[in-house]
Amino acid sequence: MRSSLLRPADKALRLGGKSILLSPHALLAGCILALIITLLMVFALTQGALPLTLREVYYQLTHAQAPASLNQTLFWQMRLPRSVVAIIAGAVLGAAGAVMQSTTRNGLADPSLLGIKEAACLVVWIELLFFPTLSPLWRPISAMIAGLLVTGIVMLLARGTSGSRFILIGIGISWGLNALLGVILTTIDPKQAQQLMLWMAGSLQHATLETAQLMVVIALPIVALLLYSCRASTILQLGDATATSLGVNPLPINRLRMIGAVILTALTVSTVGSIGFIGLMAPHLTRRIVSGGQSYLLCGSALVGALLLLLADCVGRLAFAPTQLPAGLIVALLGGPFLFILLWKRATQR
């Protein structure tokens, strides 16, 4: 049975008594995606109202302690944090979407469609409005708790995570929370409402290197745990009955992966705002690039998600200059038609 899960292109890399399966095609695709992300990041660092040369970018990277200057402020406090946070947030959302789609076995599963994003937004708004002196470190914690709570409610009402019932209930709860967010916006001071709306649109204008460090510290162990569960998840794709006969218990694996996806989504919302559709688009685009087990899908979706969000931020920052559009808005402009195409394909395949 194990051989049926392998592809002829897979190569076994033996380390001591264990072996790791590698796909040359997947590795090549990953390297190409990483190269594109690197080139796009260099472009983002050099372009703007005040262009920087490649030599200036190299100088700033190698002389971080140089005397303060306009270029140093522009590079270290604006462009570099913005690009780094876009890459991390996009990768986290792409990985979360891949995990959620494989766990629910539904290609429409996305954190932005299940109420997780709105629940995280709600608790962060409450902290910003009523507890402004509270440490920003509490935002990821409270957002994760809210996301897990909403996911638990959706799973309880849907009696599981499989089937369209799970998605439909999640969309319903998402709309309800959106209505509650709208009520808050209409009852607070207009200046506060404007700030909250900009934050909810997924703006990266206020990204900092401290934000990037916080995201890495929290996301890295979660992603490592999800990668560790990928082999069992690949077997689960054969069906619960077959997986059970092979010694894999579906319930704890699915719960672990769902909790990991929720934590990653809530982390992103609490740090950079509400950015939807990355988790929906990245796995589908990844499947067109590489095929294989869940580890390939997870890593590929992370790379594609990073590329999508960095590209969206570049478009929002440069294409409409001097006006800057939030990256979340650019992603939504692409994600809406993408979702429509997926729904249309599902309808025509029946």
Side-chain angles (χ1 to χ4, degrees):
M1 180 61 69
R2 184 168 179 258
S3 60
S4 65
L5 298 176
L6 311 182
R7 297 173 310 286
D10 284 348
K11 304 295 183 181
L13 176 64
R14 298 192 178 277
L15 298 173
K18 297 184 179 181
S19 62
I20 302 175
L21 294 174
L22 298 177
S23 168
H25 172 68
L27 289 176
L28 177 61
C31 290
I32 293 175
L33 285 172
L35 177 61
I36 295 174
I37 292 171
T38 302
L39 294 176
L40 184 59
M41 183 176 179
V42 172
F43 175 80
L45 294 175
T46 57
Q47 299 303 308
L50 179 61
L52 298 176
T53 63
L54 290 177
R55 178 176 296 180
E56 180 64 28
V57 170
Y58 177 77
Y59 175 82
Q60 293 298 332
L61 288 173
T62 55
H63 296 79
Q65 303 301 325
S69 64
L70 177 60
N71 286 349
Q72 185 188 49
T73 301
L74 182 68
F75 182 84
W76 286 102
Q77 296 186 19
M78 297 178 66
R79 292 187 187 173
L80 182 63
R82 189 165 180 161
S83 299
V84 171
V85 170
I87 291 173
I88 296 173
V92 167
L93 288 174
V99 170
M100 194 162 288
Q101 288 183 16
S102 65
T103 302
T104 62
R105 299 176 192 171
N106 193 321
L108 297 178
D110 175 56
S112 64
L113 300 177
L114 298 177
I116 302 170
K117 178 169 63 75
E118 289 76 12
C121 280
L122 181 60
V123 296
V124 172
W125 279 20
I126 292 174
E127 291 183 8
L128 292 173
L129 291 173
F130 301 106
F131 306 98
T133 60
L134 196 64
S135 172
L137 293 176
W138 282 102
R139 294 178 193 171
I141 298 174
S142 57
M144 292 174 195
I145 295 173
L148 290 172
L149 180 61
V150 168
T151 303
I153 293 174
V154 175
M155 292 175 63
L156 183 63
L157 295 176
R159 298 175 184 175
T161 59
S162 60
S164 300
R165 181 183 176 90
F166 179 74
I167 304 298
L168 293 175
I169 292 177
I171 291 175
I173 291 180
S174 175
W175 286 350
L177 291 174
N178 258 321
L180 184 56
L181 293 174
V183 170
I184 294 176
L185 283 178
T186 57
T187 55
I188 62 176
D189 182 77
K191 290 184 179 180
Q192 289 180 317
Q194 186 177 11
Q195 293 177 352
L196 292 181
M197 288 181 65
L198 180 62
W199 178 82
M200 189 175 181
S203 175
L204 298 170
Q205 290 183 11
H206 303 293
T208 64
L209 291 178
E210 288 74 17
T211 301
Q213 292 173 356
L214 176 64
M215 296 182 72
V216 169
V217 168
I218 298 177
L220 201 57
I222 302 298
V223 173
L225 191 61
L226 292 175
L227 277 172
Y228 181 77
S229 68
C230 280
R231 184 175 181 276
S233 179
T234 301
I235 297 176
L236 287 178
Q237 303 306 306
L238 301 174
D240 289 350
T242 303
T244 302
S245 67
L246 293 173
V248 177
N249 190 348
L251 188 58
I253 296 298
N254 287 335
R255 285 180 176 175
L256 172 67
R257 290 173 64 80
M258 183 63 71
I259 290 173
V262 172
I263 290 176
L264 293 178
T265 303
L267 169 65
T268 307
V269 173
S270 65
T271 50
V272 299
S274 176
I275 299 176
F277 293 109
I278 293 288
L280 176 68
M281 295 188 292
H284 285 280
L285 295 175
T286 301
R287 291 187 187 97
R288 293 187 172 275
I289 300 174
V290 296
S291 61
Q294 294 300 306
S295 57
Y296 297 124
L297 179 63
L298 180 64
C299 296
S301 297
L303 289 172
V304 173
L307 177 60
L308 287 175
L309 190 53
L310 181 59
L311 179 61
D313 185 55
C314 289
V315 172
R317 182 170 63 88
L318 301 173
F320 305 94
T323 302
Q324 294 191 19
L325 296 182
L329 181 59
I330 302 298
V331 173
L333 291 175
L334 298 175
F338 193 91
L339 177 60
F340 174 79
I341 292 173
L342 289 180
L343 292 172
W344 180 76
K345 284 186 175 181
R346 284 202 165 201
T348 55
Q349 288 174 354
R350 291 180 177 177

